[in-house]
Amino acid sequence: MKIVVRPEVGWRKVTFQIEDETFNQIREICMRHGFRVEEGIKIILLGEFLDYDPEEDVEALRKEVKELEERLYNLEGKWSPLKFSSYGIALDNRNLAIQLSGMIAENKRLREMLGKEEKEYGDIEKLIHYYLSFEGE
């Protein structure tokens, strides 16, 4: 397989000859890991395929990950009761909105039967829509 590499700026080019077997292996690896073949060859040619720093201590990184996981579990433990209580409050608000909606309907009907003037419940109806999670008004 013949590969021609051209720079972004300039007119020079470099040509490489790769055996078909090697190219097929590169293509197979690229397909397995979700790369385009051009990207895989670019990574191979530029030598960007290893980010390993021998100075880094793997055990220190594992210890740091373990500490972060412990902090995460502690925060989750503090957050979950708040989430549960907010869920209960949301259900209470929904029930109250349903009751308020029924009272407004009853009030409108009684005013109509008694021949009294209608009242505007726009602000309250907006709150009811909010607590019942209606999209439109």
Side-chain angles (χ1 to χ4, degrees):
M1 177 67 157
K2 183 177 175 182
I3 298 175
V4 178
V5 179
R6 294 187 179 134
E8 291 180 14
V9 178
W11 51 271
R12 298 179 317 181
K13 65 181 180 181
V14 178
T15 305
F16 294 98
Q17 190 71 24
I18 297 179
E19 296 178 16
D20 289 337
E21 181 180 323
T22 306
F23 181 75
N24 289 336
Q25 288 177 348
I26 292 171
R27 182 173 47 203
E28 181 182 317
I29 291 170
C30 289
M31 292 174 82
R32 187 178 335 138
H33 294 288
F35 287 101
R36 293 192 334 250
V37 176
E38 297 84 18
E39 291 174 346
I41 292 174
K42 180 180 175 184
I43 289 170
I44 291 169
L45 291 176
L46 295 177
E48 297 175 349
F49 51 90
L50 288 179
D51 287 339
Y52 176 69
D53 185 7
E55 309 250 335
E56 283 188 78
D57 185 20
V58 175
E59 289 302 319
L61 291 174
R62 286 183 180 156
K63 185 178 179 182
E64 184 180 349
V65 167
K66 187 175 181 180
E67 290 172 2
L68 289 173
E69 284 178 347
E70 288 176 10
R71 284 182 54 202
L72 174 69
Y73 294 141
N74 287 336
L75 289 174
E76 180 70 25
K78 292 177 183 176
W79 179 71
S80 60
L82 293 173
K83 184 178 176 185
F84 181 75
S85 60
S86 67
Y87 177 73
I89 291 171
L91 288 179
D92 290 343
N93 285 341
R94 185 174 211 157
N95 288 336
L96 291 172
I98 291 170
Q99 289 177 6
L100 184 59
S101 177
M103 289 179 188
I104 288 173
E106 185 178 355
N107 192 342
K108 284 181 180 179
R109 188 178 58 82
L110 288 173
R111 284 186 161 280
E112 184 181 309
M113 284 177 51
L114 294 173
K116 293 192 172 188
E117 63 186 48
E118 277 191 38
K119 280 197 171 184
E120 180 61 35
Y121 298 105
D123 295 336
I124 297 172
E125 288 174 349
K126 284 181 185 177
L127 284 173
I128 291 171
H129 283 121
Y130 174 76
Y131 285 115
L132 293 179
S133 302
F134 288 140
E135 295 293 326
E137 289 187 28

